[in-house]
Amino acid sequence: MKATCIYCGREFDVSYARRSLGKRFGAGTYDDYCPDANECEDCLYPEISADYNEGARVIQLMGPGWDYD
């Protein structure tokens, strides 16, 4: 399925974007961040990456005694 990115205007393949981001961040990530499927992987990547990096930073700040429950 082809779509046009609302940010950069590039035509992109939604299936490729889902696979690409899913491979890097986990299955379903694209749909979690972009349920309307209107943003390309290049524009969405920085947002997802920043969120994952912030999560890793929080886990590090919590220290070794923190439980993942």
Side-chain angles (χ1 to χ4, degrees):
M1 175 177 137
K2 295 282 187 178
T4 302
C5 180
I6 60 172
Y7 293 109
C8 69
R10 177 175 71 91
E11 187 174 357
F12 69 101
D13 182 357
V14 176
S15 297
Y16 174 79
R18 282 188 177 115
R19 283 192 314 271
S20 174
L21 293 172
K23 192 181 295 184
R24 183 173 290 259
F25 298 108
T29 302
Y30 181 85
D31 292 326
D32 288 344
Y33 276 82
C34 190
D36 296 331
N38 58 2
E39 194 171 341
C40 73
E41 68 279 1
D42 293 337
C43 291
L44 196 55
Y45 177 82
E47 179 182 351
I48 297 171
S49 182
D51 288 352
Y52 272 71
N53 287 335
E54 185 62 22
R57 184 173 164 267
V58 168
I59 290 170
Q60 182 182 18
L61 289 172
M62 295 297 287
W66 186 59
D67 190 7
Y68 287 99
D69 269 354

